[in-house]
Amino acid sequence: MNSTSMCRTVLSIAAVTALAGTAACSSSDSGGGDEGIRSGGDLLAALRLADKSTSDADSAKIESTATMGELMSMRSDGALDWADGLQGTMTITYTGGQAAEQMSQLGITSTEARYLPDAYYANMGDTFAEQYEGKHWIRYAYDDLENSAGASGAYIKDIFKNVTPNQSVKLLLASGDVEKVGESKVRGENTTHYSGTVDVADLAEQNSNLGEEKRAELQKQLEQAGITTETIDLWINEDDLLVKKVEKGETANGTLSSTVYYSDYGVEVSPKEPPATDTVDFAELMKDLPAG
């Protein structure tokens, strides 16, 4: 694989990792206080409380699997903190699809990903280092992603800067189509199972429970990701925390499916920035690519 092909490979892997490694989309604070959030057994009120409780928990351990058409399938595990921008460390294993084939040409089946307030780092292994002065890590500054990739780059930047696991709760609240499926156990915990479907084309017309501005933000993010419809199943525990989610949707790249488990809310997360001597910047890699 020549340098140009390698650059294109690592750029595509960045986008895939952004979606699958963090296992969530960007979101913002839903606002509002605790008073009146729950009213008896009201379904929407219970979801609003789960939205707030999960957002306020600040950090968690995460295990996920994801597939996106023929593009990729992967498994991720680690811990993330979203209290003040995204921080954390994940191990991402490429299990199939075009992404796995491309990564195998770099001699790797898994990568370590580190998320810090201003940049995302990916360890690309020894084969990559042989072509880039012994450097194993790529640094993706969020501003560089936005500047070089236009609207899709802005979307990826938004994911990295604002990710929280309660995004899926917000989507159900915004959809206008949600039901309580029943009670079940998830890894030994008592949970309540909720399910709903989001139609992106109709999202703006729904009687949203989030308000017009936040509904518009969600719709824009989904459209940028190429998502047209999405089915969401959530399991909320007795502490009003999200412990499992399953999402299935149609995107521009095929069917997207992911399953995520959240545990150990409040866990300490302290990722370290890789040494500068072992890091090449994304902006420098871009200079290697021909125009267009």
Side-chain angles (χ1 to χ4, degrees):
M1 181 182 295
N2 61 35
S3 295
T4 298
S5 297
M6 181 173 288
C7 281
R8 296 195 184 280
T9 295
V10 298
L11 296 184
S12 66
I13 294 302
V16 172
T17 300
L19 293 172
T22 60
C25 294
S26 63
S27 68
S28 57
D29 186 7
S30 60
D34 293 336
E35 184 178 358
I37 283 182
R38 172 173 284 166
S39 173
D42 182 76
L43 180 154
L44 295 178
L47 284 175
R48 291 190 191 102
L49 185 55
D51 175 17
K52 186 177 189 306
S53 297
T54 301
S55 177
D56 290 348
D58 291 345
S59 65
K61 291 183 179 179
I62 297 175
E63 300 173 47
S64 72
T65 57
T67 62
M68 183 182 289
E70 297 180 355
L71 180 62
M72 66 88 181
S73 63
M74 58 179 60
R75 181 177 68 252
S76 308
D77 64 89
L80 296 174
D81 185 306
W82 53 88
D84 185 21
L86 181 65
Q87 297 188 67
T89 301
M90 300 288 290
T91 298
I92 301 171
T93 303
Y94 303 89
T95 56
Q98 297 170 14
E101 293 176 3
Q102 291 175 331
M103 295 302 285
S104 69
Q105 295 181 49
L106 299 177
I108 55 178
T109 58
S110 66
T111 61
E112 180 183 346
R114 297 184 189 177
Y115 306 86
L116 285 99
D118 63 340
Y120 157 74
Y121 295 82
N123 189 325
M124 302 304 294
D126 292 336
T127 301
F128 175 86
E130 289 174 3
Q131 296 197 33
Y132 286 91
E133 301 177 350
K135 297 178 179 180
H136 295 81
W137 294 87
I138 302 176
R139 178 181 182 271
Y140 297 92
Y142 302 137
D143 289 341
D144 288 340
L145 285 173
E146 181 177 24
N147 293 337
S148 66
S152 60
Y155 172 69
I156 296 172
K157 175 185 176 181
D158 199 33
I159 292 175
F160 281 130
K161 295 288 286 185
N162 301 296
V163 65
T164 61
N166 60 309
Q167 170 73 1
S168 51
V169 184
K170 291 182 184 295
L171 282 173
L172 279 191
L173 286 168
S175 71
D177 177 20
V178 58
E179 63 178 351
K180 178 179 176 180
V181 178
E183 311 293 329
S184 62
K185 283 190 176 292
V186 174
R187 296 184 169 182
E189 289 193 73
N190 295 323
T191 69
T192 303
H193 178 188
Y194 300 93
S195 183
T197 301
V198 177
D199 187 325
V200 177
D202 295 337
L203 190 59
E205 300 177 6
Q206 298 291 346
N207 181 20
S208 174
N209 296 279
L210 294 179
E212 182 177 351
E213 181 179 353
K214 296 186 183 301
R215 185 175 67 244
E217 289 177 3
L218 289 171
Q219 185 176 22
K220 181 179 179 180
Q221 290 163 0
L222 291 170
E223 289 174 346
Q224 288 177 322
I227 296 173
T228 56
T229 61
E230 186 169 19
T231 301
I232 303 173
D233 285 86
L234 306 178
W235 288 260
I236 310 296
N237 70 9
E238 295 174 332
D239 294 322
D240 303 303
L241 295 170
L242 177 63
V243 294
K244 179 184 177 181
K245 76 170 181 179
V246 175
E247 296 184 64
K248 295 181 180 180
E250 295 303 319
T251 80
N253 292 309
T255 300
L256 169 68
S257 176
S258 71
T259 299
V260 188
Y261 292 92
Y262 301 94
S263 64
D264 297 273
Y265 277 97
V267 65
E268 182 178 351
V269 178
S270 54
K272 294 183 178 180
E273 181 178 344
T277 55
D278 198 23
T279 302
V280 59
D281 199 84
F282 164 81
E284 294 300 316
L285 291 179
M286 287 296 293
K287 293 178 181 179
D288 291 344
L289 292 177

